Amino acid sequence: MRNVRHSIDQLLRPAGHVFYGWWIVGASSGIQWLAAMLWMHSYGAYVVLLQADFGWSKTVMAAAFALTRIESGILGPAQGWLVDRFGPRLILAIGTVIFGLGFMLFSQVESLLGFYLTFALIALGSSLGGFATLMVSLVNWFNRHRAKAVSASQLGFSVGGLSVPLVILSLEAFGWRVTAFLSGVLVLVLGLPLVRLIHHRPEERGEVPDGIRSALTNGEAPLPATPDFTAREAMRTWPFWLISFGHASALLAVSSLIVHLAPHLTEGMGYSLAAAGLVVALMTGCQMAGQLIGGYLGDKLDKRLICFACMLAHSVGLVLVAYATQLWMVVLFTLLHGLAWGIRAPQMVALRADYFGASSFGTIMGFSSLIVMLGMSAGPIIAGYMADRDGDYQAGFTLLAVLILTGAFCFLLARPPKRVGRGSEAG
């Protein structure tokens, strides 16, 4: 026990005080909690209520979500460049304001066009003020403990999933309009103070990545220097494309379930909306456990193999929930999908940073998002269209499971890139 306490102390307090990077991790977690609770994990519940009010089809609802993901993907390269150029804090502040105002405007929607436009605003705000921008800060502040830091920050996303029943209680008690408006207020009141804690690089506060000075005096060998690729150099390598397409295929499962899990459980399996919320909460509880495991494993084992195993679990889980007839099948799905999501997600960031460095990470991640958005946008549309056609989600979820399985091999093939010299083509 004493050794464990010493290890934790060295992790959090390498220079005798809490390393400021961990405060950034905490703030990042809080920001992701807001986005996950109020939008990403709650979207399926909004779908059920909006369909009841307006009679819109599953395809229409899925297309709205898909278009917001396309918007975020197209925005990615410009967003990445802006974050690398001006730092994450300014971009986060702008995004948080747009995110909050988008919710307030959404509460006044009366037409399909208004719904699409306000959700485009919400998506723009959540992209600028969310995950990709936050990761630029984290990969600069951490090297040795990068996977741990990323996974710890993403715990906020999981806690957001666990908080979905609270949003559903508000939806049932006050309606979706009041809930949406109050969500916008909450984003502004809590989000903006959290943004102020974010700093771009440790040098801004007289720190170094991981607080490594103390680690070196304790006899630990320094990590080898990470090669810093430019965005152009990274895109000349096969690993850039393989990781991007693998990431996109993983998000086929994530995005389709964000949109369609609640409708599948309520319409296809007869669950109440509150029961569906509990399934989402259980799934994200498993995701949280996976993030803790993934942060540790990612700094110890080959991230490619971790990702391959997680992709297999995504695929099997999707088939299970598609054909579920009993509660145990739903529970097993939540275990497989939740753990796979939690373990895999921090590897997506850490693997890119390990391969391409931190200097141009925002721009590299931004260009990668042009590919990643294909999975995030296609998953809900495929599942929604096939459900409207067939009357259930079995065929759509099965097709997505096969596509995810093929994407698993992208990670096996994505070996570390080699760069001969600045301006030369990497292999």
Side-chain angles (χ1 to χ4, degrees):
M1 182 64 70
R2 182 178 299 175
N3 289 337
V4 172
R5 286 198 299 266
H6 177 73
S7 298
I8 294 175
D9 190 61
Q10 288 300 308
L11 176 66
L12 299 178
R13 301 164 56 88
H17 59 86
V18 176
F19 175 51
Y20 191 81
W22 294 110
W23 292 107
I24 295 177
V25 168
S28 300
S29 184
I31 291 168
Q32 292 185 80
W33 167 70
L34 286 171
M37 175 181 65
L38 300 177
W39 184 48
M40 294 295 286
H41 281 305
S42 295
Y43 183 74
Y46 277 104
V47 166
V48 174
L49 297 177
L50 289 169
Q51 281 184 302
D53 275 8
F54 297 105
W56 297 330
S57 70
K58 294 180 178 64
T59 304
V60 165
M61 300 300 296
F65 184 86
L67 288 173
T68 63
R69 298 300 86 202
I70 292 172
E71 174 197 25
S72 298
I74 293 173
L75 176 70
Q79 177 182 346
W81 181 85
L82 288 170
V83 176
D84 285 337
R85 175 67 177 81
F86 298 105
R89 186 193 288 181
L90 175 62
I91 308 305
L92 285 167
I94 293 171
T96 300
V97 171
I98 295 173
F99 189 37
L101 293 179
F103 262 115
M104 294 178 182
L105 291 173
F106 168 57
S107 71
Q108 307 303 311
V109 161
E110 297 288 352
S111 66
L112 183 60
L113 177 61
F115 169 68
Y116 273 51
L117 290 176
T118 55
F119 257 70
L121 267 184
I122 290 173
L124 175 63
S126 68
S127 295
L128 293 176
F131 173 79
T133 307
L134 293 166
M135 293 305 105
V136 173
S137 177
L138 290 181
V139 301
N140 277 280
W141 277 82
F142 291 91
N143 187 7
R144 184 185 300 276
H145 303 298
R146 183 172 286 151
K148 295 185 188 73
V150 173
S151 65
S153 76
Q154 292 180 341
L155 286 174
F157 196 89
S158 298
V159 175
L162 291 173
S163 305
V164 166
L166 297 177
V167 177
I168 290 176
L169 285 175
S170 177
L171 289 169
E172 292 181 332
F174 305 111
W176 65 268
R177 293 185 185 277
V178 172
T179 301
F181 188 86
L182 292 177
S183 295
V185 173
L186 193 63
V187 166
L188 297 177
V189 170
L190 296 183
L192 290 175
L194 289 171
V195 166
R196 292 187 58 82
L197 297 175
I198 305 297
H199 290 270
H200 192 180
R201 295 186 174 93
E203 294 81 6
E204 296 175 6
R205 294 182 59 89
E207 300 260 21
V208 292
D210 300 300
I212 199 70
R213 292 192 191 100
S214 178
L216 291 177
T217 62
N218 288 336
E220 294 185 24
L223 292 177
T226 302
D228 277 352
F229 285 63
T230 65
R232 179 175 296 180
E233 288 170 340
M235 286 188 288
R236 289 176 178 174
T237 69
W238 276 110
F240 172 87
W241 299 99
L242 289 168
I243 294 171
S244 297
F245 279 109
H247 194 178
S249 65
L251 294 185
L252 289 171
V254 171
S255 62
S256 61
L257 290 169
I258 285 173
V259 177
H260 297 294
L261 180 58
H264 173 56
L265 293 174
T266 55
E267 297 174 17
M269 299 188 66
Y271 286 31
S272 68
L273 187 58
L278 291 175
V279 172
V280 172
L282 176 60
M283 180 180 69
T284 49
C286 294
Q287 182 190 2
M288 182 184 299
Q291 286 166 335
L292 294 173
I293 297 168
Y296 175 79
L297 293 180
D299 288 329
K300 297 290 185 181
L301 304 178
D302 190 330
K303 297 178 180 66
R304 297 180 305 115
L305 300 180
I306 295 172
C307 292
F308 177 77
C310 290
M311 296 290 283
L312 297 182
H314 277 311
S315 183
V316 173
L318 201 54
V319 171
L320 266 174
V321 76
Y323 294 92
T325 56
Q326 299 181 48
L327 180 60
W328 71 265
M329 299 175 74
V330 176
V331 172
L332 184 55
F333 148 74
T334 63
L335 290 172
L336 287 172
H337 179 69
L339 286 172
W341 189 359
I343 293 171
R344 176 191 53 75
Q347 317 310 325
M348 301 293 92
V349 175
L351 190 58
R352 288 183 177 94
D354 289 351
Y355 280 13
F356 305 116
S359 295
S360 300
F361 181 82
T363 308
I364 291 169
M365 193 74 178
F367 278 104
S368 183
S369 70
L370 290 171
I371 300 166
V372 172
M373 75 171 181
L374 298 176
M376 200 67 175
S377 57
I381 290 179
I382 292 171
Y385 169 77
M386 296 184 77
D388 283 334
R389 185 194 67 183
D390 301 334
D392 60 53
Y393 285 97
Q394 289 184 349
F397 283 179
T398 302
L399 174 60
L400 293 176
V402 173
L403 295 174
I404 293 163
L405 189 61
T406 60
F409 292 93
C410 290
F411 290 108
L412 285 184
L413 297 172
R415 298 187 176 277
K418 294 186 173 99
R419 179 158 56 85
V420 177
R422 179 70 65 183
S424 63
E425 184 169 344

